[in-house]
Amino acid sequence: MLENHRNKGLPPLDWLRIFEAAARLGGFSAAAREFGLTQAAVSQRIRSLETWLARELFVRSARGVTLTYAGESYLPIVQESLEALERGTEDLFGKAPCELRIAALSSHLTTLVMPCLSELQSKHPDVRFTTDSVPQRSNFDDEKTWLHLRYGRGKWAGREMALICTETLCPMASPSLIHMRWQDMALIELRGERPGWRRWGRKNDMPAPRAASISVDSMEHALVAAANGLGLVLGSKALAAPMLNSGQVVKLDLPALATKDGYWLTWPEDKLTSKKSRALVLALRDALSQSVSDAGHSAATAPLP
């Protein structure tokens, strides 16, 4: 039994850290390994904390230890306080991030990330920007780089998200074809989850498009096909931005098709605890959004013949 007399003030930080580790890891041995101590040393510190608080925090048995009601109530308070102390220390005394590493599909790195890096580097000259190409969207879960640029609805368990832009699809073609009626152009079909020409026709009360003469499975290939004069594409306004800016493709004066998907920066919930790191990631988000927005406003729209 512990004496019913609690010391005033805070117990030593070392005791609190060891209590948190033992509770989080489920035992004194695991906490000992985390701190490089013996199990006896961990047990002694926890017993000292219990004496200080005049409460037992663990039930000890031959099978191990479990938290008491007092321990369960105290644990989240200790964890939140230690996390706040760590964040505050990092914000005040930590160095600004020296590298920002982002993983994305290769086509997204080319069309979204690269165009905005020059301005971002001018504002953050001491930061090294590193990119990692992800072969397919299904590979993101195995990706070691924690900051991702992803396409979708923005619902990924255990991750925070910041929207760059929503996906808008616009009829686009090579400038060499704008003398033609759009109905006479060959259609480029993009297979996959994005809505296609039939949805565009129904949404805008347009005639049902005829069968496409070219079919591809990536937006990158669809845009390249259009730039080479192979037909009319329902192209991503965001991913086509570099081609629109350079005049390789032009938007036709036809209705666009808004979608429920978008492009997002996303990261694990426990990663951006430092204000400086979060500010850098959000600066990247703003640069990406501004780059896409600028392209949308500056790109010319070709009138229909």
Side-chain angles (χ1 to χ4, degrees):
M1 292 290 294
L2 298 174
E3 294 183 12
N4 190 23
H5 174 71
R6 187 186 71 81
N7 289 276
K8 294 183 179 180
L10 287 174
L13 180 62
D14 183 44
W15 297 356
L16 295 173
R17 293 176 65 227
I18 287 176
F19 161 69
E20 188 279 332
R24 170 170 46 85
L25 299 173
F28 293 177
S29 297
R33 288 192 295 271
E34 181 167 302
F35 286 96
L37 300 171
T38 64
Q39 182 176 343
V42 167
S43 180
Q44 181 183 15
R45 285 167 172 78
I46 289 176
R47 177 58 72 183
S48 296
L49 177 60
E50 291 175 323
T51 301
W52 179 287
L53 299 172
R55 292 289 189 279
E56 288 192 344
L57 301 173
F58 290 94
V59 175
R60 296 156 175 83
S61 68
R63 292 183 296 178
V65 296
T66 56
L67 287 169
T68 63
Y69 177 78
E72 290 179 349
S73 301
Y74 196 38
L75 177 60
I77 297 172
V78 171
Q79 288 177 325
E80 290 172 10
S81 300
L82 291 175
E83 289 169 3
L85 181 59
E86 181 180 2
R87 287 194 302 270
T89 302
E90 180 64 26
D91 290 338
L92 284 174
F93 305 109
K95 295 181 179 180
C98 59
E99 181 183 58
L100 185 62
R101 195 177 196 106
I102 182 171
L105 298 180
S106 179
S107 59
H108 294 176
L109 290 172
T110 299
T111 56
L112 296 176
V113 176
M114 293 304 168
C116 76
L117 282 189
S118 177
E119 181 178 354
L120 199 60
Q121 279 190 316
S122 68
K123 295 179 179 178
H124 302 275
D126 297 328
V127 177
R128 172 187 171 93
F129 294 94
T130 305
T131 63
D132 292 311
S133 298
V134 179
Q136 296 179 338
R137 285 168 57 187
S138 59
N139 295 110
F140 273 116
D141 290 338
D142 300 323
E143 178 57 48
K144 294 181 180 179
T145 299
W146 54 266
L147 180 62
H148 300 167
L149 192 164
R150 294 191 184 189
Y151 174 80
R153 299 286 171 90
K155 296 178 181 179
W156 296 285
R159 302 184 70 87
E160 289 188 61
M161 281 75 73
L163 180 65
I164 298 168
C165 65
T166 55
E167 178 75 307
T168 302
L169 303 175
C170 305
M172 303 176 189
S174 165
S176 65
L177 299 183
I178 61 175
H179 65 282
M180 300 173 58
R181 296 193 321 143
W182 72 268
Q183 296 92 334
D184 297 330
M185 296 181 190
L187 291 185
I188 299 170
E189 175 191 59
L190 174 61
R191 305 188 306 275
E193 63 188 314
R194 287 180 175 88
W197 283 112
R198 292 189 181 279
R199 174 85 66 83
W200 176 83
R202 291 196 302 269
K203 181 73 173 178
N204 297 297
D205 197 24
M206 292 287 192
R210 63 190 181 285
S213 57
I214 297 174
S215 179
V216 298
D217 65 353
S218 78
M219 179 61 74
E220 181 182 21
H221 293 162
L223 291 170
V224 170
N228 280 279
L230 297 179
L232 182 65
V233 66
L234 196 55
S236 164
K237 181 181 174 183
L239 297 185
M243 288 185 173
L244 290 167
N245 287 339
S246 65
Q248 292 176 276
V249 295
V250 293
K251 291 187 294 183
L252 300 191
D253 191 13
L254 289 168
L257 179 62
T259 76
K260 296 181 180 180
D261 296 306
Y263 299 90
W264 305 76
L265 277 186
T266 172
W267 56 90
E269 293 174 342
D270 61 347
K271 276 298 180 182
L272 291 186
T273 57
S274 163
K275 289 183 179 179
K276 294 176 182 178
S277 296
R278 181 175 288 271
L280 183 58
V281 168
L282 294 182
L284 173 59
R285 187 275 312 271
D286 293 342
L288 288 165
S289 298
Q290 189 63 49
S291 178
V292 172
S293 176
D294 289 346
H297 288 118
S298 62
T301 299
L304 299 179

